[in-house]
Amino acid sequence: MESVIRIKNADNVILKGVYSKINKKDCCIYFHGFAGCYDSLAKSVHEKLKQNKISFLFGYTQGYGIIYPMKKEINGLAQEINCGGCYEYLDNYSCDYDAWFNFLKEEKYENIYVITHSLACNKIIDYLNKNKVTNIKKIIMLAPQDLTQIIYQYPLNINKALENLKSNKSEEILPEKFLGFCDICSRTFLSFSPECKLHNIQYKNLNFKFEKLNNIKIPVFAIIGQKDEGLKQYNAKECMEFVKKNVPLFDYKIIKNAKHTFKNNLDELNNIIINKIIRRV
């Protein structure tokens, strides 16, 4: 049975989730990417897992949507705050992940499978380097990205964001839309700087050894589109082979002609996911 649930993180922000408890043994938790949502991709994964009798949890984070109002308890009263990718504080993502993994712990599942899309791939690597979550059997990364140089694609935003920080206007929205679609405030934009702790996937740095990905000691399977817009001029197979060469517990599948959200390839994507969870191949 599918239901909308609500939990509270350590900062007293109330997070929604979409939850189908189908069996008591296996559950898949899905974390969305930057400004992501419960979209056609997440819904299709959810439906496929339900068909195969696997419990499913989609956990909203404070980076849900572009600008998304959430409630925060302040002095005992629920007050509305602006969240979403536009205002996401990347250094604080773990507060939301903590809340969802604690929820699953209370549900007492034997086997947990983690599905991450885009930026959530970087987040889960960072998170599991700092936190121990028992019973995770596999991580399935959808469209993992190298974001190390991304802010340099927006030269107007760099100067304006630095100016806004000096003027205590960290939440002022910048002129260039991030990733071509998302409003973004100065603080969030600058949090993608090369020093960001989430730059743990690097396809362009041939000296990169993926130490954090190796540290988690959990099998990781990546699925990426041959025409993922985030790869730009880079070849998907070359990127995935570079990771595989450096990470023994890593494997991958490339979906021909698929893009970043797998919009026209959802059936193929979900069949791969089921094979990796149910048949464990």
Side-chain angles (χ1 to χ4, degrees):
M1 185 177 193
E2 181 177 322
S3 60
V4 175
I5 61 173
R6 287 173 174 80
I7 63 173
K8 188 165 56 175
N9 69 17
D11 288 338
N12 290 324
V13 176
I14 299 169
L15 304 172
K16 284 170 53 177
V18 180
Y19 185 40
S20 291
K21 187 169 186 176
I22 297 171
N23 71 59
K24 297 180 180 180
K25 182 179 178 181
D26 304 307
C27 185
C28 180
I29 182 169
Y30 184 114
F31 289 115
H32 60 80
F34 181 77
C37 59
Y38 187 58
D39 56 9
S40 59
L41 171 58
K43 290 175 182 176
S44 73
V45 173
H46 187 178
E47 186 59 33
K48 190 71 172 182
L49 291 170
K50 283 197 298 183
Q51 292 171 8
N52 285 271
K53 310 302 181 186
I54 300 172
S55 296
F56 175 88
L57 172 63
F58 178 94
Y60 285 45
T61 72
Q62 291 173 78
Y64 183 92
I66 297 175
I67 298 176
Y68 188 82
M70 291 189 175
K71 299 286 188 179
K72 179 175 182 177
E73 288 189 9
I74 302 173
N75 297 324
L77 298 175
Q79 299 185 25
E80 191 170 281
I81 59 172
N82 277 330
C83 294
C86 180
Y87 298 108
E88 184 176 11
Y89 186 40
L90 293 186
D91 284 345
N92 200 36
Y93 81 89
S94 60
C95 187
D96 300 336
Y97 280 35
D98 282 342
W100 289 119
F101 281 122
N102 286 336
F103 173 82
L104 289 182
K105 184 178 180 180
E106 292 174 0
E107 293 290 277
K108 298 180 179 179
Y109 285 104
E110 292 180 30
N111 304 310
I112 296 172
Y113 302 93
V114 181
I115 297 181
T116 56
H117 182 238
S118 196
L119 179 62
C121 301
N122 308 79
K123 289 179 177 179
I124 198 64
I125 295 171
D126 184 73
Y127 184 83
L128 292 176
N129 268 260
K130 300 171 182 176
N131 302 274
K132 182 174 177 58
V133 181
T134 58
N135 299 333
I136 294 180
K137 303 304 180 185
K138 191 182 291 283
I139 299 167
I140 297 177
M141 295 184 175
L142 309 181
Q145 301 292 299
D146 178 348
L147 302 171
T148 50
Q149 302 296 314
I150 195 165
I151 68 169
Y152 299 115
Q153 298 175 26
Y154 308 95
L156 293 178
N157 280 0
I158 294 175
N159 294 330
K160 185 63 177 175
L162 291 171
E163 178 185 314
N164 286 341
L165 254 63
K166 290 179 181 178
S167 304
N168 294 319
K169 298 177 181 177
S170 63
E171 294 198 352
E172 184 170 303
I173 295 174
L174 296 170
E176 296 177 288
K177 287 191 180 294
F178 196 61
L179 303 177
F181 76 94
C182 188
D183 290 329
I184 190 167
C185 76
S186 302
R187 182 195 65 200
T188 300
F189 177 77
L190 291 175
S191 68
F192 282 96
S193 69
E195 296 77 29
C196 175
K197 64 183 181 180
L198 299 182
H199 292 324
N200 43 42
I201 298 173
Q202 297 188 23
Y203 303 133
K204 305 159 193 175
N205 178 1
L206 297 182
N207 294 316
F208 196 70
K209 299 301 181 184
F210 298 92
E211 291 180 9
K212 288 189 174 182
L213 187 52
N214 275 309
N215 285 345
I216 62 178
K217 309 298 183 187
I218 298 169
V220 174
F221 189 83
I223 308 172
I224 195 162
Q226 178 193 24
K227 296 184 177 180
D228 189 306
E229 300 91 327
L231 296 181
K232 296 189 181 297
Q233 74 271 31
Y234 293 91
N235 179 278
K237 183 174 177 60
E238 290 177 358
C239 292
M240 293 295 99
E241 282 293 322
F242 179 49
V243 184
K244 187 173 181 178
K245 176 183 174 182
N246 287 281
V247 184
L249 291 177
F250 178 89
D251 205 354
Y252 69 92
K253 179 72 175 178
I254 296 171
I255 297 181
K256 186 177 180 180
N257 294 323
K259 295 186 177 181
H260 190 64
T261 61
F262 303 93
K263 183 178 179 181
N264 297 316
N265 307 85
L266 294 176
D267 288 341
E268 183 176 357
L269 172 76
N270 286 308
N271 286 333
I272 296 169
I273 290 173
I274 289 301
N275 282 337
K276 289 299 163 186
I277 292 180
I278 295 286
R279 298 169 192 158
R280 299 189 176 123
V281 297

